[in-house]
Amino acid sequence: MPTLHADADAALWVPVTDSLGFKGRRHRKAAIRMLLTQANRAMGTSERPGSGVLAWGMSQAAPFLMRKAAGRVLVWVWKADPELVVVMAQVQEATSQLRAARAMMPMEYDDTEDFRSPYLGTGEKLAMPLPRDPRTPPFATYTWDTGTHFVTVTAVCSDRERFGTVIASIDDVARTVRLAEDLTIGESPTMIVIEPPKP
């Protein structure tokens, strides 16, 4: 399974994936609290009792769970306001079940635009600053189909009015995402070498 790599601007983003213990704890907890709040809102419920404790517990477990994912998941939060934006990149094997699930997504997910990455080529971007359901937070998704895998970047924002101020920075993160093959000793990836044009 290939692994993900990215170069998010450290002045704007705090990585959750590699933060353990006290490192990044405040940002992890705030981001998880925001996601729990948005999930509750989507289900039509208010914040549940003990959700602060749940956010803390999840913030402690999150880095270990993502480390267990072995580079298949990367997560960042907005440094200036961790409860504003959470960005997650993931790679999944392009199984027939996953392709079928993507084909059955609602029509609003067809409203995509081309999005160019220097590493992954041209993919699709869907930005939803004002989802039809007011309970749904603003979000953006970026998808590349490599033939064998799907690479997706998903960003969720807690504030509809501020979504437009951060989307360009989310674009920048998405453009840095790339895949690296996990190879054992003696293996080599299949390559096509294209000679440069002669002057």
Side-chain angles (χ1 to χ4, degrees), residues 27-181:
H27 290 85
R28 291 197 308 269
K29 183 178 176 181
I32 291 169
R33 186 188 309 117
M34 184 271 275
L35 292 174
L36 288 173
T37 299
Q38 298 300 331
N40 287 338
R41 185 177 300 166
M43 292 185 290
T45 60
S46 57
E47 186 172 358
R48 297 174 182 175
S51 60
V53 175
L54 179 60
W56 178 85
M58 292 177 68
S59 75
Q60 298 302 106
F64 295 98
L65 294 174
M66 283 182 283
R67 177 169 287 185
K68 190 176 180 181
R72 297 188 300 273
V73 178
L74 299 175
V75 179
W76 303 267
V77 296
W78 190 244
K79 188 172 186 177
D81 185 354
E83 293 192 48
L84 178 64
V85 185
V86 178
V87 178
M88 180 176 72
Q90 62 179 330
V91 57
Q92 297 172 286
E93 186 178 353
T95 63
S96 56
Q97 293 87 348
L98 184 55
R99 289 189 181 280
R102 290 181 56 81
M104 291 187 291
M105 295 176 79
M107 287 183 62
E108 59 186 303
Y109 284 81
D110 293 336
D111 191 18
T112 60
E113 58 184 88
D114 287 346
F115 185 82
R116 178 74 183 168
S117 160
Y119 303 104
L120 299 172
T122 301
E124 295 180 341
K125 171 185 173 180
L126 173 68
M128 298 290 286
L130 296 172
R132 295 178 183 177
D133 188 338
R135 297 173 300 179
T136 301
F139 68 91
T141 63
Y142 308 75
T143 307
W144 291 269
D145 183 351
T146 70
T148 58
H149 294 83
F150 284 114
V151 178
T152 58
V153 176
T154 305
V156 179
C157 181
S158 62
D159 191 330
R160 291 188 174 212
E161 294 182 359
R162 297 172 64 188
F163 181 75
T165 67
V166 297
I167 187 64
S169 297
I170 297 170
D171 286 351
D172 291 342
V173 172
R175 287 190 185 95
T176 72
V177 174
R178 56 196 181 275
L179 285 177
E181 290 289 341

